[in-house]
């Protein structure tokens, strides 16, 4: 990967990994695991909404 | 990326998106209320409420439950007895005109498991939620509709992958999440499309791929029926049909003795597609989120209550079982369902903005537009590619 493309993929990869981990974590067990997964996945969604609607570009 | 490969990926993204667009919008819109199908059916009064008896009242024999169902619909036969994951005190007796009649024509009788009292008739196949579910799964076209939607999911997966490939050239000169509000409407929606697409990519890929797997459920059932089930019941193949069926409770007890940590989720009666002509098909689940999704069949001779040694379902059926929670989003309580809904709305936004961008590009000369706005070079090349 060229150095200039690093900045393009850094955040999307972090968001993708959080999403994938959370989707699996909720399958592992109920209770706290569900909560952690919902918070993590919720954070990804909220971050996207914040970028799209709140932050001035 | 060279301008030629950019043009190819752009064409792939445009056409796979356009082909699947209408169906994906329909699936996302109908899927939104379906995330909350349980809550909605509850509020709308389509579900049966259990009787008001003291907590800890023991369950009656399942044979009494079956009798209660038969008394309620004496003209019908019992195909299945099944339980609700969320309401353990209610059993459903699925009755139909004949033992081998198509399942969807049947009617459920809800029975309280502690009193064997018949409850308010549950409407499992009626009402707005059932309508949306049917539209969502097969568009009222049966297996053909299901498989068609599965094919559209494949096309959509290609659209998503090509979208990610195109993300990099568009974002080369932009910070992550840049939304240009003060330029043209088209640039605003392009930025929203890119941001929404990249944020929801993994989730939407998982929901799309598991949805695709779900469309093959009927085929997998057939494969299991003619494969493992036929093998396990081979010694019974030439036996005459049963004249009398033994105790259901006894069959379940025999299955549970062999798998004491499990509990039954559904029991198929001999002669239905889920078992042989001579066995109760007792389907057991475990208590963890994963084992509660992966059904373990136990075939119990309906006359002698002899258990056929249990075998786990084949890998393809297990894949189907595990893909279901990942599609429905119903495995992490209400908070996860809410997140599922938010991401679904984001997906609708990505689809809608993509459609808008295509229309806007066709309406105006894209090259002129791009030059006038001073878009990054990738966007300019793409604009030209679309003409």
């Amino acid at each position: 990967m060229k150095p200039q493309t690093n900045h393009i993929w850094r955040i999307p990869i972090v968001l993708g990994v959080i999403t994938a981990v959370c989707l699996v974590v909720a399958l592992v067990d109920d209770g706290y695991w569900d909560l952690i997964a919902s918070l993590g996945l919720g954070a990804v969604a909220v971050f996207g909404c914040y970028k799209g609607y709140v932050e001035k570009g | 990326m060279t301008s030629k490969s950019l043009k190819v990926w752009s064409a792939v993204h445009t056409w796979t998106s356009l082909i699947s667009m209408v169906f994906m919008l329909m699936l996302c819109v109908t899927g939104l209320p379906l995330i909350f199908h349980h809550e909605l059916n509850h509020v709308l009064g389509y579900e049966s409420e259990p009787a008001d008896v003291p907590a800890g009242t023991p369950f009656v024999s399942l044979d009494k439950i079956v009798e209660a169902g038969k008394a309620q619909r004496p003209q019908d036969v019992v195909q299945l007895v099944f339980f609700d994951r969320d309401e353990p005190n209610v059993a459903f007796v699925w009755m139909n005109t004949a033992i081998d009649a198509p399942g969807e024509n049947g009617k459920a009788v809800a029975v309280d498991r502690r009193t064997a009292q018949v409850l308010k008739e549950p409407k499992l196949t009626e009402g707005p939620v059932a309508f949306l579910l049917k539209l969502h799964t097969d568009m009222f076209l049966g297996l053909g509709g299901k498989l068609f939607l599965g094919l559209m999911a494949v096309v959509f997966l290609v659209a998503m992958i090509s979208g990610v490939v195109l993300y990099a050239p568009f974002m080369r000169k932009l910070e992550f999440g840049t939304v240009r509000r003060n330029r043209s409407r088209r640039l605003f929606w392009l930025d929203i499309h890119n941001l929404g697409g990249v944020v929801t990519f993994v989730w939407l890929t998982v929901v799309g791929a598991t949805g695709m797997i779900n469309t093959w459920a009927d085929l997998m059932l057939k494969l299991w029926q003619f494969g493992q089930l036929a093998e396990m019941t081979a010694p019974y193949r030439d036996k005459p049909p049963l004249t009398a069926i033994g105790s259901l409770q006894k069959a379940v007890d025999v299955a549970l003795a062999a798998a004491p940590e499990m509990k039954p989720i559904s029991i198929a009666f001999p002669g239905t597609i889920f078992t042989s002509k001579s066995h109760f098909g007792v389907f057991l689940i475990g208590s963890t989120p994963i084992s509660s999704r992966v059904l373990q069949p136990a075939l119990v001779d309906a006359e002698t209550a002899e258990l056929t040694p249990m075998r786990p379902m084949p890998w393809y059926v297990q894949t189907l079982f595990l893909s279901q929670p990942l599609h429905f989003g119903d495995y992490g309580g209400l908070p996860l369902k809410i997140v599922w809904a938010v991401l679904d709305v984001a997906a609708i936004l990505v689809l809608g903005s993509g459609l808008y961008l295509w229309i806007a590009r066709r309406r105006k000369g894209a090259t002129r537009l791009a030059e006038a706005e001073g878009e990054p070079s990738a966007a300019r090349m793409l604009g030209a590619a679309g003409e």
Side-chain angles (χ1 to χ4, degrees), chain B residues 21 26 33 66 135 161 190 212 228 265 286 329:
Chain B
M21 178 65 73
M26 179 277 282
V66 173
L135 187 60
I161 291 163
L190 175 68
M212 174 189 74
Q228 191 184 68
I265 187 73

Side-chain angles (χ1 to χ4, degrees), chain A residues 9-37:
Chain A
W9 289 114
R10 202 176 300 134
I11 295 176
I13 287 171
V14 170
L15 295 178
V17 169
I18 293 174
T19 303
V21 168
C22 288
L23 289 177
V24 174
V25 158
L27 271 179
V28 175
D29 210 345
D30 289 330
Y32 285 120
W33 291 99
D34 282 349
L35 197 65
I36 292 166

Side-chain angles (χ1 to χ4, degrees), chain A residues 23 26-27 38 47 52-53 55, chain B residues 164 176 181 289-290 331 336 349:
Chain A
L23 289 177
L27 271 179
S38 303
F47 178 71
Y53 295 97
E55 200 180 65
Chain B
V164 166
F176 175 86
R181 288 178 171 74
I290 291 178
Y331 62 110
L336 193 68
L349 215 61

Side-chain angles (χ1 to χ4, degrees), chain B residues 180 183-184 186-187 190 361 364-385 387:
Chain B
R180 289 164 287 184
R183 309 281 287 277
S184 71
R186 210 178 78 91
L187 273 184
L190 175 68
R361 200 171 69 188
K364 297 182 179 181
T367 319
R368 273 184 293 119
L369 193 82
E371 275 165 4
E373 287 164 354
E375 273 183 60
S377 59
R380 199 149 53 225
M381 280 195 284
L382 270 184
E387 295 303 300

Side-chain angles (χ1 to χ4, degrees), chain B residues 63-323:
Chain B
D63 297 314
K64 285 225 167 70
I65 304 285
V66 173
E67 271 169 39
K70 282 181 178 164
Q72 186 72 8
R73 299 184 71 85
Q75 73 281 17
D76 288 345
V77 294
V78 179
Q79 283 186 316
L80 304 166
V81 171
F82 60 94
F83 309 106
D84 188 334
R85 287 173 197 275
D86 302 313
E87 185 41 84
N89 294 325
V90 178
F92 296 93
V93 184
W94 190 256
M95 317 242 357
N96 214 327
T97 48
I99 194 70
D100 56 355
E104 64 263 29
N105 300 344
K107 283 269 180 215
V109 177
V111 185
D112 191 287
R113 291 186 73 183
R114 301 153 304 175
T115 61
Q117 177 193 342
V118 171
L119 303 169
K120 193 184 81 175
E121 189 190 342
K123 295 181 177 128
L124 303 181
T125 53
E126 292 164 48
V129 178
F131 174 85
L132 289 176
L133 181 65
K134 194 85 180 126
L135 187 60
H136 188 90
T137 48
D138 69 3
M139 305 182 292
F140 298 91
L141 297 171
L143 181 61
K146 258 186 213 176
L147 294 177
F148 177 79
L149 287 178
L151 181 68
M152 286 303 110
V154 176
V155 176
F156 182 62
L157 288 172
V158 175
M160 279 197 287
I161 291 163
S162 57
V164 166
V165 172
L166 290 173
Y167 178 77
F170 271 95
M171 297 304 291
R172 196 171 300 142
K173 289 183 181 156
L174 298 172
E175 283 289 313
F176 175 86
T178 305
V179 178
R180 289 164 287 184
R181 288 178 171 74
N182 305 321
R183 309 281 287 277
S184 71
R185 192 144 53 129
R186 210 178 78 91
L187 273 184
F188 170 75
W189 284 112
L190 175 68
D191 290 341
I192 291 288
H193 184 74
N194 283 338
L195 172 64
V198 84
V199 169
T200 57
F201 175 72
V202 172
W203 177 81
L204 203 48
T205 305
V206 169
V207 174
T210 52
M212 174 189 74
I213 293 170
N214 273 299
T215 64
W216 303 330
D218 294 358
L219 300 183
M220 289 182 188
L221 174 66
K222 281 267 173 253
L223 225 76
W224 173 73
Q225 208 186 341
F226 289 110
Q228 191 184 68
L229 180 63
E231 265 173 42
M232 288 174 79
T233 58
Y236 286 81
R237 195 173 297 147
D238 301 321
K239 272 203 163 184
L242 294 173
T243 46
I245 290 176
S247 162
L248 175 65
Q249 184 63 53
K250 196 169 175 196
V252 171
D253 290 343
V254 165
L256 287 178
E261 73 289 359
M262 302 185 100
K263 62 176 185 181
I265 187 73
S266 66
I267 305 128
F269 273 58
T272 57
I273 56 168
F274 303 103
T275 181
S276 80
K277 286 191 168 64
S278 315
H279 295 87
F280 283 116
V282 183
F283 291 84
L284 303 167
I285 56 170
S287 52
T288 68
I290 291 178
S291 67
S292 74
R293 299 291 176 162
V294 180
L295 273 59
Q296 169 62 58
L299 300 176
V300 183
D301 188 311
E303 257 175 347
T304 66
E306 186 199 339
L307 175 72
T308 307
M310 281 197 242
R311 288 197 219 169
M313 292 284 243
W315 66 268
Y316 51 86
V317 183
Q318 303 223 11
T319 309
L320 170 70
F321 288 147
L322 285 178
S323 77

